[in-house]
Amino acid sequence: MATKKIPKKYQPKGFEILHEDLDIIVGNKAPGILTVAAKWERENTVHNLLNQFVRKGNPRSNKCVYVIHRLDQATSGVLVFAKSEKAQQFIKDNWKDNVKTYYAIVHGVMKKKSGVIQSYLSEDEDYVVHSSSDSSEGKLAITEYEVLKETDKFSLLKINLLTGKKNQIRVHLSEEGHPIVGDPKYGQGNTSYKNLCLHSAELELTHPHSKTRLKFKAAVPACSVSLSLTGFVSDTLTT
């Protein structure tokens, strides 16, 4: 029996589905779309669009997807949702064992070509995240990075996200004096570039049912900085 085709209007715009099975949906989030609802936007989110997708246009359906993690609105890349609370809980319980790889293009040439940035992060009433060396002032955040390629103005970094706090990568790199290109929030006043050059490129996790290790890769969107840098990432992801 053929599977009923899902109407085009319920296909999630801004979220290219990379993998779907009975337990999870994995996709490549486009920059600019929210992961979950915010005060200023409740409808055009990946979470809401995927709920419509799994309901196949049936308003009586109670099917839904369950949030596991989030990407900032301006950040693109791999994002995974669960199809049941059981699958959601398994992945959350084992989140520290997942490998989360990001690529970022930052301003300037970094003196240290690799390293670990560690601090305690907290969010103020204006939703701005601040960094401190005092453990009483926030939650521990650890970002490991490696410079892969440089020009005279920019550096391409590969990032291993060892913790997953809100705005972590953006805050840590800005604190180092090398904000991410296109970051209006932590970019130290430089807003001449349209898109945030931060991409969740790879996610390796344990499947909640089969318990096998799976790796998902997401294509890099165009960046307004340097074709040589974004092209390098694209070539890396296809090998």
Side-chain angles (χ1 to χ4, degrees), residues 33-222:
I33 186 170
L34 288 165
T35 301
V36 297
K39 290 181 180 180
W40 63 90
E41 179 61 70
R42 305 200 66 83
E43 299 298 322
N44 188 32
T45 70
V46 177
H47 186 216
N48 184 56
L49 293 173
L50 282 181
N51 282 336
Q52 296 180 37
F53 175 74
V54 297
R55 290 166 187 164
K56 299 178 174 61
N58 180 3
R60 296 183 178 182
S61 173
N62 59 2
K63 287 184 177 180
C64 63
V65 296
Y66 297 84
V67 178
I68 295 169
H69 65 130
R70 295 166 174 80
L71 293 178
D72 293 344
Q73 183 174 5
T75 304
S76 57
V78 182
L79 191 60
V80 58
F81 289 82
K83 285 186 168 182
S84 69
E85 289 183 284
K86 183 178 179 181
Q88 177 195 40
Q89 195 60 52
F90 176 87
I91 297 174
K92 280 190 168 186
D93 288 345
N94 294 276
W95 193 249
K96 66 181 184 299
D97 298 324
N98 297 340
V99 181
K100 302 169 284 293
T101 304
Y102 286 70
Y103 289 97
I105 298 177
V106 301
H107 288 279
V109 176
M110 301 188 73
K111 291 181 179 179
K112 291 181 64 177
K113 305 308 178 186
S114 63
V116 176
I117 307 168
Q118 180 172 311
S119 69
Y120 299 89
L121 303 182
S122 61
E123 185 176 19
D124 65 22
E125 59 185 12
D126 295 320
Y127 307 106
V128 177
V129 176
H130 299 275
S131 179
S132 172
S133 59
D134 188 342
S135 61
S136 67
E137 295 186 5
K139 295 182 179 179
L140 179 63
I142 308 173
T143 305
E144 183 179 41
Y145 73 90
E146 176 188 3
V147 177
L148 296 181
K149 200 169 184 181
E150 300 171 332
T151 67
D152 57 340
K153 294 182 179 179
F154 306 106
S155 298
L156 171 65
L157 309 184
K158 181 178 182 180
I159 295 165
N160 181 18
L161 194 62
L162 299 178
T163 59
K165 307 306 178 187
K166 182 178 179 180
N167 294 170
Q168 174 180 324
I169 298 173
R170 297 163 68 181
V171 173
H172 274 171
L173 293 173
S174 179
E175 189 178 60
E176 291 290 302
H178 298 280
I180 296 175
V181 172
D183 191 343
K185 192 172 184 179
Y186 303 102
Q188 302 174 352
N190 191 327
T191 57
S192 57
Y193 296 94
K194 183 178 179 181
N195 298 321
L196 180 72
C197 293
L198 177 62
H199 181 68
S200 170
E202 297 181 5
L203 175 64
E204 182 179 322
L205 55 77
T206 301
H207 191 274
H209 178 70
S210 68
K211 305 301 187 290
T212 56
R213 293 290 286 181
L214 302 175
K215 180 183 285 188
F216 303 101
K217 298 182 179 183
V220 180

